[in-house]
Amino acid sequence: MSRLQVVSGKGGTGKTTVAAALALALAREGKRTLLVEVEGRQGIAQLFGTEALPYEERKIAVAPGGTGEVFALAIDAERALLDYLQMFYKLGSAGRALKKLGAIDFATTIAPGLRDVLLTGKACEAVRRKDKAGRFVYDHVIMDAPPTGRITRFLNVNDEVAGLARFGPIHNQAQAVMKVLKSPETAVHLVTLLEEMPVQETADGIEELRRAGLPVGRVVVNMVRPHHLDEDTLRAAAEDHRAGLAQALSRAGLGGARRGGLAERLVEPLLAQAAEHAGRVELERAQRAVLAGLDVPTYELPLLGAGMDLAGLYELAKELRKQSVGE
């Protein structure tokens, strides 16, 4: 299993939730995972019900079973640049002065390629970091990455920086980052829903990642709704069975089946719901066919209802473990 797991997806597909559940699923049997966010939204803190994450690695959860740990880090490009300047140029207090003058923010704003190098570089450093005994500090690093439409450009930092620095520390840093991102150590997962636009964006994203030589991991189909009706019932829903349905409702004690009776009045809304369900099933079947044609393995996560809390995250992590995540 790749040690750097990058999670992207179209807005609204729940990529941050999936990244958090993946971190919990991988933190098992004494394993340690680091969950990284790079967009400054503090989405991880909200999901885990904790205070805003600082620019430091902080333990935020214990995995199911109590033997694995999840740490989190909100990477800030300005702070990362200060670290970078200190590492290579030993600026010390001069670096802090640059921040006060706004130079750090200016540099990361006018050079978005540099910003991405700093954000991805911090995550890659965590992937490579070892303790004094020579063991990796984290077994897995999970990155809650930018949306699908920007993911290839975000990860392909070597090309982004080529026009900015063709040699020197920044160039070397970009190459070191790309060595990790294009290696078997990395997998880029895309989160989607069984809807036309997210599936199409997923297909486009996979094509772009492959063209860039970036390793595609899995497609995670999120918020999958159950099918309450079997095939025979779906076909029956498309036919006119109003009289028979009204009589069945009446026999069940739901009022009269004659015109104007309660059972008769329930028929139309029930048939409308059945027709809506049948239409959704057909749409999902078509989108599954598109995903199957991408030749990428998939995970599926159920729709757990409105909102998401910590209990829901643990439930999704359990579902991922059932699907052999981490094996």
Side-chain angles (χ1 to χ4, degrees):
M1 190 72 173
S2 303
R3 296 191 59 249
L4 175 59
Q5 312 266 330
V6 180
V7 180
S8 180
K10 179 177 170 57
T13 59
K15 70 177 179 65
T16 300
T17 298
V18 170
L22 182 59
L24 281 170
L26 290 170
R28 71 196 196 286
E29 300 172 2
K31 302 292 186 181
R32 289 160 55 97
T33 64
L34 176 64
L35 180 56
V36 172
E37 91 172 9
V38 297
E39 294 184 282
R41 296 185 295 107
Q42 289 293 336
I44 292 172
Q46 293 174 33
L47 278 173
F48 284 91
T50 185
E51 61 186 22
L53 296 174
Y55 183 66
E56 62 183 38
E57 292 155 26
R58 171 178 292 179
K59 181 178 173 180
I60 60 169
V62 176
T67 59
E69 298 175 316
V70 177
F71 292 75
L73 170 66
I75 302 178
D76 177 82
E78 292 183 34
R79 293 288 298 275
L81 182 52
L82 284 174
D83 287 351
Y84 180 85
L85 293 173
Q86 175 62 21
M87 182 186 304
F88 288 104
Y89 299 107
K90 304 293 188 284
L91 288 186
S93 59
R96 291 189 292 274
L98 286 173
K99 179 175 175 61
K100 288 182 179 179
L101 291 171
I104 302 299
D105 180 59
F106 180 72
T108 57
T109 299
I110 65 169
L114 172 60
R115 184 182 185 88
D116 291 350
V117 168
L118 295 167
L119 295 172
T120 55
K122 191 71 175 176
C124 290
E125 181 276 326
V127 171
R128 298 189 298 254
R129 193 190 313 155
K130 295 183 178 181
D131 60 20
K132 292 180 180 179
R135 297 169 299 195
F136 286 112
V137 172
Y138 294 108
D139 297 285
H140 297 282
V141 175
I142 317 300
M143 181 193 293
D144 177 20
T148 314
R150 203 170 84 80
I151 188 62
T152 300
R153 184 173 182 179
F154 174 75
L155 294 176
N156 205 20
V157 293
N158 202 34
D159 288 347
E160 288 297 300
V161 173
L164 179 67
R166 297 187 180 278
F167 54 86
I170 294 177
H171 175 77
N172 294 339
Q173 172 74 354
Q175 287 194 319
V177 168
M178 290 310 302
K179 186 176 180 180
V180 173
L181 293 179
K182 290 193 174 184
S183 77
E185 285 187 290
T186 299
V188 184
H189 307 302
L190 298 184
V191 182
T192 188
L193 306 178
L194 288 175
E195 299 173 5
E196 188 173 357
M197 288 184 64
V199 166
Q200 184 58 55
E201 190 162 313
T202 298
D204 294 341
I206 289 173
E207 183 179 353
E208 290 179 3
L209 288 166
R210 286 172 170 165
R211 282 203 306 264
L214 292 161
V216 177
R218 289 177 179 260
V219 169
V220 182
V221 183
N222 196 24
M223 294 186 265
V224 176
R225 291 177 287 186
H227 291 175
H228 299 293
L229 305 178
D230 58 29
E231 291 294 330
D232 290 339
T233 307
L234 285 174
R235 282 194 295 271
E239 301 172 0
D240 192 346
H241 292 290
R242 285 172 172 77
L245 181 56
Q247 292 172 5
L249 291 172
S250 180
R251 288 194 297 270
L254 295 176
R258 293 183 178 181
R259 186 172 183 82
L262 176 59
E264 193 273 340
R265 295 200 306 271
L266 289 173
V267 168
E268 199 63 38
L270 284 174
L271 287 177
Q273 286 190 29
E276 181 183 351
H277 182 80
R280 175 169 63 82
V281 170
E282 186 59 34
L283 172 65
E284 290 178 354
R285 183 181 288 116
Q287 298 314 307
R288 285 184 188 279
V290 175
L291 292 174
L294 300 178
D295 194 27
V296 176
T298 62
Y299 293 135
E300 288 202 2
L301 293 174
L303 176 66
L304 297 183
M308 176 59 61
D309 56 14
L310 192 55
L313 282 180
Y314 277 95
E315 182 63 29
L316 293 181
K318 182 179 178 181
E319 288 293 327
L320 287 171
R321 291 291 300 125
K322 287 180 181 177
Q323 297 173 60
S324 301
V325 63
E327 300 296 335

